[in-house]
Structures are given as C-alpha cells and as structure tokens.
Amino acid sequence: MRIKQTKIWGFFSSIRLAIWLLSTIAFFSLIGTFIPQSTIYSSWWFILLLVLFSLNLIVCILNRFALKNRSWGSFVSHLSILIILCGALIGILFGQKDLLKISKGQEVSSFMSRGKKVNLGFSLRLNEFIYNENIDAKERLLVYRNTKAEKGVCDVHNKPLATKESEGFLAEVPINPGIEQDIGNTGYQIKVLRYLPDFVMDTSTKQVLSRSASPNNPALQVELKDSRGGVKTAWLFARFPDIHQEVSADFRIFYHWAPRRPKDFISKVTILKDGKEILSRDIQVNAPLNFAGYNFFQTSYDSQDLSWTGLQVVKDPGVPVIYAGFVLLIVGLVMIFYVGPLFKGDN
Amino acid sequence: MSSLYLNLSFGAYFLAMVFYTASLFFKNKIFPQAARFFIICGILGLSIYIGARWQAALRPPLSNMFESLVVFGWAIAVLLIFIDLKYKTKAINALTALMGLLALGYASLLDKEIVPLLPALKSNWLTLHVLTCFIGYAALTVAFVSSIIILCNKEEHKNLDNISHKIIAFGFLFLTLGIISGSVWANSAWGTYWSWDPKETWSLITWVIYAIYLHARLKRGWKGKKAAWLSVIGFIAMLFTYFGVNYLLAGLHSYAS
C-alpha cells in the first residue's frame, strides 16, 4: 500500500483538521494571555499541537503540489509557515541566550544558556551605563516674593498649593539646564546646574549624590545671579519646599517637579580579545552590538542602581530561516490574492 | 498644538456619514457626491493634522492610543473612498463612515499632549509597523461592516459576500505585514522575534481567525452568513488586540496606552 492511500495520510490531509487545530491553538493561546507568566506556550501539549499542525501542513503541501493545476501562491505561503516553524525549532535546539548583568568595569567572557556554560571567545567590558531622561514640559520653578506667608507651598504629593494667582507670585521659569534665564523682570537670572532624582548627602564627606535613578527625592541645584553680578548657588527640593537653603533675601523659589520619561539607555562597552582592546561601542535599545555571531541587546537596567546594565546576549541560527519564511509568506500571499487573479481574470 | 484640523475632519466625517445615509433613501445623485466630497475633505484635514503633529513632535505621530486612533480614522476614510468608487454599496459606505467617525470621536476624548518617544519606540520600524497594522485594521473594519449587513439581511447577498472576501484578503495581507514587521522590530530591539507577549499573541489569534475564514470559505464552502459570523468574530479579536490588550493585559506594548 502506498503511503498516500493510508488512513493516517488521509487524516492529516484534511482542511477540517487544519481548521480544528488552528482553532485549538488560538483558543489555548487566548487562555495563556490571561495567565501572567503563563507556561502554556512551552508545555508539551501545546508543542504537540504545533507538531500535529506541522504534519497537517506538510501533508497538505505535498498533496497540493502533486496536483496539475497547482497554485504557486498557495504552495509558497504554506511552505513559508513550515519554514517559520522550522526556524523556531532551530532556535529552540541550537539557539543560545542569556541575560547578562554586568557591573561597571566588569568583564564578561561566558554566559549560561539552558544550563550549559557558553564561552564567547572574547570578553565584553562595561565602561559605563548612561541613563538619560526627558524633562517634562510641566516641570518648572515658581518664584515668589519672600513673604513668610508662603510657607508650605506644596502638599505631600508635590502638588503646588500656591499658584500663579497666589500672593507674591513673580515668575515661572522652565527647566533648561545650563542656560541663564531671567526671573520675570526682577533683574535676576537663574541657571539650573544639576538634577538629582534621589538626593542624598554623605554626612561625613558632605558630598552630594543621587542614591538611585528613582525620583524619591528630586532636587535641583540652581545658580542665582543678581543685577550686580553677585552669584549664589542652592539646592531646591521638590518634596521638601520648606527646607531649601536661603537663596536670596528677596525670593522664595519652589521646584515643581513632574515625572521625567526615559530618553536613552546606553551601555558603553569594550570588546577585548587576549587582553587587547578590539573595539568600543555604545549599545542602545534598537541599536544592538553584533560581534563574532553574538548579538548584545540593551534590555534592562535598575533604576535603584545605575552601576550595572542588563544585556541580552543571543546567538540564534534560526533567525535567518525565520526571516526567509517571512519573505516567502508575503510573496505567497501577494501571489494568491493579487498575482493569481490577474491570470485567471476577475472572479 | 491646535486641534482645529482634527475637529474639522470630525465634522467632515459626520457630514459624509449623513450624506451617505441620505443616499440610502433618496435617489438623487447629489448625496453620494456630497458624501465623497466631505470624506475627501476629512482625509485632507487629517493629513494636515498628522503632518503638523509630525513636524511639532519631530517624529512620526504613531506612538500612543490617541495618535494611532487618528491614523486608524484616516486609513478607514482612505479605504472608504476606494470601496465607494469600486463597489458603490451605499450601506457599506454609510456604516464605514460611522466607524471612521467613532475612531476620531474616541481619539478626541484622549490626551493630545505630545510626549517624547520612549527608547524602545525610537526606530524606523515604528512607521512601517504601525502603518501596516492600521491599514489592515481599517480593511478588517470595512469587512466587519459588510458582514454585519449580510447578517442583518434576510436574503443572501452574493455581492456583499464577495466584497467581504476581497477586503479580508487585503486586510489579512496587511495584518501579516504588521505582525512580521513587529516581529523583526522586536528582534532588532530585544533579540527575540516572538515572546508570546499578550499583544503578539492576540494579533496571532486574530490572524488565525481570518486564516480560518479564508480556508473555510475556499475549501469548505462557507459563504454568506456562516462566513460573515467568522468575520465578526475576527473583528472582535482585532478590537481586543487593539484596545483590550492595552487596557486589560500588561506586556511589552503597555507603554503604548
């Protein structure tokens, strides 16, 4: 008996089975989206469904290709799905992947992938991790005449109780670091020197620093210049408007903070081989580093501790196969829907 | 940034819907002509709005719910003009104009502030990914409208069924392009082309439903009402991919809400 006449071949060649399998795969995928950290997609029975689907697809492709009036579009698009699934399988079997946590100055030359140690054959050193933020347009300085009545100008949630309409309001100054800006027409100028999201002062050294990148205690160092050229610097605290230092006898300045959005995550790295520096590069989101077949992606960081970066290292030989599948899928669909009908006439 | 052109377009969409609806009841040729005029006005207005926002933001305005809804409304109207000129099915026109109006109406309720892009979104793939997705969504919306009319009619409508099929084929192609561009982008940003994130999974579910539609129609002869039901189910899945995932499920795309 030839294989094409067997019952099992007949079973796997049916479109009805394909529809049932697709519906079942879609249904369990749906369930998975409602379970956080779902393991459905890597469970044996979900993979079995995909294997059955692949068998179904293979039999259908073979049957269809044997026909005389075969549709090339249909052939190419179905084959492409199979190629994409193969690419995924190659990735599962031969792909190497790990999240590297690298501290400033640290060198990494290996990683763990599925319980096995992988040697890179070179090492990667983190020189520096840079995290930049966008200043929100709502963030600004509010300047008032120095009347004692303006105490407690912000509530605990940093919402200003005093506004432009309040007594003694002089000017509103946007945050433009490093640029001298006029305070209304008072003749004074103010410049933002430094921003610390989580201000803390080392009591022994009197050194000022940011404990983390989280806005736990946003503080701004400003420089005030009067009309005669006298200069004073001071720290302003968004959450503690009352404990700011005396900047000037004439003013009280309030720092109205607004959440800043991430702008860049940059890992400055150097590749070393046998102790020699080979190249230095910046790794950013959407700009990975590729070296000797390994790709390094900027995927995580810690807002509490900016001294380390999280780089995803990936070597996946399945990716080119997947991409070939993608191209074929598009070509196949265009052939079915648009190129094919041109030759058959409009139906 | 002024919302003048957005509001003008909303008005134009509304008038287009009114005139398309009027053309259902009155034979006068002036009604469909007026409707076409207003829908083109709406498209131009939105194009100006999108262009101005692009210039103000220094990036394509395709990065959050508001901006995507504007593009969605734009894509629906562009498709409507083509459908109208090609098939001249009055009921589809009127209901499609309503869908465009709903997209813009919902957009107008949202925060219009221009915010800087998060690092993950700073990529040339953004434009391709969002445009292909929303052209696909717009087509599937038109197919939904056509399917609803099939389901509401007592007698079989071969013509509407054909239109649905053609638009779903077009929408399916763009949905595929959208998923593929998203996958390639994810791989270039994070090193994984597929992570079963809720948005990805729901787009796949939507894609599978329309794949079933195409196969059931071709191989099992599902036409008319049976096929129309599948198109409606697919549309609901599409809506969940678009809105439900952003509001109900957390994942890679949650920053876009």
Side-chain angles (χ1 to χ4, degrees), chain B residues 137-169:
Chain B
Y137 285 5
L140 299 175
T141 305
V142 178
F144 163 74
V145 160
S146 159
S147 304
I148 286 289
I149 300 168
I150 291 171
L151 291 173
C152 290
N153 268 316
K154 279 218 173 83
E155 66 263 44
E156 287 284 301
H157 253 283
K158 241 189 145 179
N159 189 29
L160 280 174
D161 190 53
N162 250 329
I163 296 174
S164 292
H165 179 223
K166 288 222 165 103
I167 301 170
I168 286 180

Side-chain angles (χ1 to χ4, degrees), chain A residues 120-156:
Chain A
L120 286 167
F122 57 88
S123 61
L124 181 133
R125 184 182 69 209
L126 178 71
N127 302 322
E128 200 182 359
F129 176 66
I130 299 170
Y131 169 59
N132 289 325
E133 290 177 317
N134 282 304
I135 301 172
D136 194 278
K138 288 192 276 293
E139 187 174 327
R140 52 190 63 253
L141 297 169
L142 298 170
V143 186
Y144 296 84
R145 223 178 300 124
N146 198 2
T147 56
K148 292 292 171 207
E150 296 295 342
K151 278 213 162 195
V153 80
C154 286
D155 69 9
V156 282

Side-chain angles (χ1 to χ4, degrees), chain A residues 213-224:
Chain A
S214 302
N216 298 321
N217 185 17
L220 215 56
Q221 191 183 32
V222 294
E223 183 187 273
L224 195 73

Side-chain angles (χ1 to χ4, degrees), chain A residues 100 102-109 120 122-129 267-273 275-283 289 296 309 311:
Chain A
L100 302 172
I102 315 176
S103 302
K104 195 173 163 179
Q106 191 192 342
E107 269 178 41
V108 173
S109 55
L120 286 167
F122 57 88
S123 61
L124 181 133
R125 184 182 69 209
L126 178 71
N127 302 322
E128 200 182 359
F129 176 66
S267 294
K268 292 188 168 292
V269 300
T270 299
I271 300 272
L272 301 105
K273 213 167 179 178
K276 268 200 286 185
E277 294 190 2
I278 291 184
L279 87 147
S280 291
R281 268 275 308 272
D282 290 359
I283 301 176
L289 163 68
F296 297 89
T309 187
L311 298 181

Side-chain angles (χ1 to χ4, degrees), chain B residues 10-252:
Chain B
F10 183 79
Y13 277 38
F14 178 75
L15 290 173
M17 184 191 67
V18 168
F19 283 110
Y20 273 132
T21 311
S23 74
L24 275 171
F25 301 102
F26 307 102
K27 282 266 179 297
N28 199 325
K29 268 196 174 157
I30 190 84
F31 292 115
Q33 295 290 11
R36 267 167 224 150
F37 170 76
F38 282 114
I39 208 73
I40 288 171
C41 286
I43 293 170
L44 289 177
L46 274 193
S47 305
I48 294 171
Y49 182 78
I50 293 169
R53 199 175 164 93
W54 191 321
Q55 224 168 19
L58 303 171
R59 58 167 172 81
L62 306 164
S63 70
N64 60 15
M65 188 52 94
F66 168 74
E67 292 174 342
S68 72
L69 276 166
V70 173
V71 171
F72 187 33
W74 180 87
I76 288 175
V78 171
L79 234 82
L80 170 55
I81 277 293
F82 277 102
I83 301 287
D84 181 8
L85 294 177
K86 189 153 186 219
Y87 302 110
K88 298 193 174 57
T89 316
K90 292 161 185 167
I92 293 186
N93 296 341
L95 280 174
T96 305
L98 173 68
M99 299 306 265
L101 192 68
L102 287 175
L104 290 192
Y106 183 26
S108 67
L109 299 176
L110 299 175
D111 190 1
K112 296 172 194 63
E113 196 193 342
I114 294 175
V115 291
L117 283 187
L118 290 173
L121 295 178
K122 283 182 201 154
S123 164
N124 291 331
W125 287 102
L126 175 71
T127 313
L128 187 69
H129 177 57
V130 176
L131 275 184
T132 50
C133 283
F134 281 93
I135 292 170
Y137 285 5
L140 299 175
T141 305
V142 178
F144 163 74
V145 160
S146 159
S147 304
I148 286 289
I149 300 168
I150 291 171
L151 291 173
C152 290
N153 268 316
K154 279 218 173 83
E155 66 263 44
E156 287 284 301
H157 253 283
K158 241 189 145 179
N159 189 29
L160 280 174
D161 190 53
N162 250 329
I163 296 174
S164 292
H165 179 223
K166 288 222 165 103
I167 301 170
I168 286 180
F170 177 80
F172 186 74
L173 174 63
F174 274 86
L175 200 59
T176 310
L177 288 170
I179 295 172
I180 287 177
S181 58
S183 176
V184 175
W185 182 9
N187 192 49
S188 66
W190 297 293
T192 45
Y193 51 83
W194 194 264
S195 53
W196 293 103
D197 139 88
K199 195 94 168 180
E200 289 172 359
T201 310
W202 270 95
S203 70
L204 181 69
I205 293 167
T206 309
W207 188 87
V208 164
I209 293 171
Y210 286 107
I212 291 174
Y213 172 99
L214 293 168
H215 286 87
R217 206 190 134 85
L218 198 68
K219 304 287 173 192
R220 304 206 59 79
W222 283 31
K223 291 198 175 159
K225 290 206 159 69
K226 251 181 166 179
W229 274 115
L230 264 181
S231 157
V232 170
I233 294 169
F235 179 73
I236 293 168
M238 185 213 97
L239 284 185
F240 197 85
T241 309
Y242 187 8
F243 302 108
V245 173
N246 284 33
Y247 295 136
L248 302 172
L249 307 168
L252 286 179

